[in-house]
Amino acid sequence: MPTTPEMSMDMTTAGDTGLLETLQHEVALFARRAEQTRLGGVGQVRNSMDRAAYLLLNRLDKEGPMGVKALAASMGIDSSTVTRQVAPLVDNGLVKRTSHPEDGRAVVLQLSPRGVSRLDEVRTSRRRLMAELTHDWAPEEREAFCTLLSRFNGALSARTAPQSAGGTESSPAS
């Protein structure tokens, strides 16, 4: 049985309140700092791709060509949002629109060669940033952080996703 916010608050103890206060504050700081830097990476590539573009390109790279509805469902967002976010990616030559092989009326989105190259640049830059930020962490600490952050993102996604959504942005493919 899923818990409601009221049930969750009932389950907290006085000792949890301070810890939960710290957690919510740290998450708020993380969200602000992540948006300020867009965790863009290092070097010239830093801050050069917004979050929506990165997540869309990454999804197309991991799952392959697909239609707008399938892409929206896999990301747990609305088709109109995908259409709006994909338009500048098409205009910049990062995504190609092609006809569906079985239904010429349907549009399939796929990464262009330029999109593949650009995504690789951004991923490399972001990996360098993650290495820089965690250079003094033990490998086990990096792994534990990834595990916990993935779990946290999964819980957020499950809480906010519509019951019918197929996939979420928190999957490793994001």
Side-chain angles (χ1 to χ4, degrees):
M1 175 178 168
T3 59
T4 64
E6 295 77 24
M7 292 169 68
S8 296
M9 288 306 293
D10 291 344
M11 293 188 292
T12 62
T13 64
D16 291 336
T17 303
L19 183 60
L20 294 173
E21 180 64 26
T22 300
L23 178 60
Q24 73 79 24
H25 180 75
E26 291 299 325
V27 168
L29 284 175
F30 172 77
R32 183 179 73 201
R33 288 184 179 131
E35 194 56 35
Q36 285 172 338
T37 65
R38 294 188 183 177
L39 291 179
V42 294
Q44 291 183 335
V45 181
R46 184 172 183 261
N47 293 333
S48 60
M49 184 177 289
D50 70 33
R51 180 187 62 238
Y54 176 78
L55 292 171
L56 286 167
L57 294 177
N58 195 57
R59 185 62 57 137
L60 287 171
D61 183 53
K62 298 291 184 184
E63 295 184 19
M66 65 180 77
V68 171
K69 284 184 181 181
L71 182 57
S74 76
M75 296 184 70
I77 59 178
D78 188 74
S79 293
S80 63
T81 301
V82 168
T83 299
R84 187 175 61 254
Q85 291 175 348
V86 163
L89 300 176
V90 171
D91 292 344
N92 290 319
L94 301 175
V95 172
K96 295 189 302 186
R97 284 188 179 117
T98 59
S99 296
H100 191 283
E102 290 139 21
D103 180 0
R105 299 169 297 170
V107 173
V108 174
L109 302 170
Q110 68 181 73
L111 282 180
S112 68
R114 182 171 181 218
V116 171
S117 175
R118 187 73 186 96
L119 182 58
D120 185 52
E121 287 176 358
V122 171
R123 282 178 177 157
T124 298
S125 178
R126 288 179 177 198
R127 280 193 304 268
R128 286 178 46 212
L129 177 62
M130 294 301 110
E132 182 181 305
L133 294 173
T134 63
H135 77 276
D136 60 347
W137 295 19
E140 310 81 53
E141 290 174 312
R142 285 180 175 175
E143 190 171 324
F145 183 71
C146 286
T147 298
L148 292 171
L149 189 56
S150 293
R151 185 174 170 190
F152 185 79
N153 280 331
L156 276 175
S157 182
R159 179 173 175 77
T160 60
Q163 295 295 332
S164 61
T168 64
E169 290 181 291
S170 66
S171 72
S174 294

